[in-house]
Amino acid sequence: MSSTKLYKTIRAMVEGAIFVAIAEMLGFLKIGHLPNGGSISLMMLPIVIYALRWGLRDGLLAGLVLGIIDFLLNGGSPGWQSILGDYIFACTLIGLAGIGRRRGLPGVIAGSIFGCLGRFVCVLATGATLWGEWMPETFLGLTMTNEWFYSFLYNGITVGTSGVITVIVCVMIYQIPATQPYLLGNDIK
């Protein structure tokens, strides 16, 4: 392995560890919180930024590591389906943001949307198939009769809102000329 390739590999690993740590810390700073464990936070933001900088493969790997760490620190799931659906797969899919790497503003927008949407779809399915068992009779003043609709509302409030905030912050970071090259990974040689 050439020294340049080794340098990039080590740099990607170090940055990944830092971004995962920041993501987990942001996960503890909740903007809003629902009674059954869902919350609004900026936890996805560092993984989206990392994926935009390093690409799809590294982004997915960083998301996977975040999912494992997040489960270990916040665990409390009723079974393996939640471990996989709410933590491992959901966080891994945040790395889909890597599809927008080095594609300018359209890439930042598309990548951050895909990463956040990937997590949303995963928790939506887990919410409907696993957590739907604990669906209340009413939620937000609406009568709940369908697990998918309940999961859509619940996860729309938590993960959906977090995703919208993440996309907006990524676009704002892109608009700052001094941070734009770093968001796009142009500093990685």
Side-chain angles (χ1 to χ4, degrees):
M1 180 182 292
S2 71
S3 61
T4 305
K5 186 171 173 103
L6 179 62
Y7 169 78
K8 283 179 73 171
T9 301
I10 291 171
R11 182 173 173 182
M13 288 172 41
V14 170
E15 279 189 30
I18 291 168
F19 278 82
V20 166
I22 293 169
E24 190 59 38
M25 288 185 331
L26 288 174
F28 286 116
L29 301 174
K30 295 169 178 34
I31 299 168
H33 186 73
L34 290 179
N36 294 330
S39 62
I40 301 168
S41 75
L42 290 174
M43 183 178 87
M44 292 188 283
L45 180 63
I47 303 304
V48 168
I49 292 172
Y50 179 78
L52 288 169
R53 283 181 55 72
W54 288 95
L56 184 62
R57 186 195 69 195
D58 291 328
L60 291 170
L61 183 58
L64 172 65
V65 172
L66 174 64
I68 293 168
I69 291 173
D70 197 41
F71 168 72
L72 292 173
L73 294 177
N74 300 311
S77 60
W80 62 270
Q81 303 95 328
S82 175
I83 295 168
L84 291 177
D86 289 332
Y87 294 98
I88 306 299
F89 294 152
C91 289
T92 299
L93 291 177
I94 300 169
L96 289 174
I99 65 165
R101 183 175 187 220
R102 295 193 176 158
R103 289 187 169 85
L105 182 58
V108 169
I109 294 170
S112 57
I113 288 172
F114 271 107
C116 296
L117 192 59
R119 181 175 182 219
F120 175 77
V121 168
C122 199
V123 296
L124 173 70
T126 305
T129 58
L130 178 66
W131 294 104
E133 181 178 332
W134 293 282
M135 177 178 67
E137 289 183 24
T138 60
F139 183 69
L140 301 175
L142 301 170
T143 303
M144 293 292 113
T145 57
N146 183 292
E147 293 87 359
W148 287 95
F149 182 65
Y150 169 66
S151 182
F152 180 81
L153 288 177
Y154 193 93
N155 290 300
I157 292 169
T158 57
V159 176
T161 302
S162 297
V164 168
I165 294 169
T166 296
V167 172
I168 290 169
V169 171
C170 284
V171 170
M172 289 171 56
I173 291 170
Y174 180 85
Q175 300 298 325
I176 303 169
T179 59
Q180 190 178 89
Y182 299 104
L183 180 66
L184 298 176
N186 293 339
D187 62 314
I188 302 167
K189 302 292 181 209

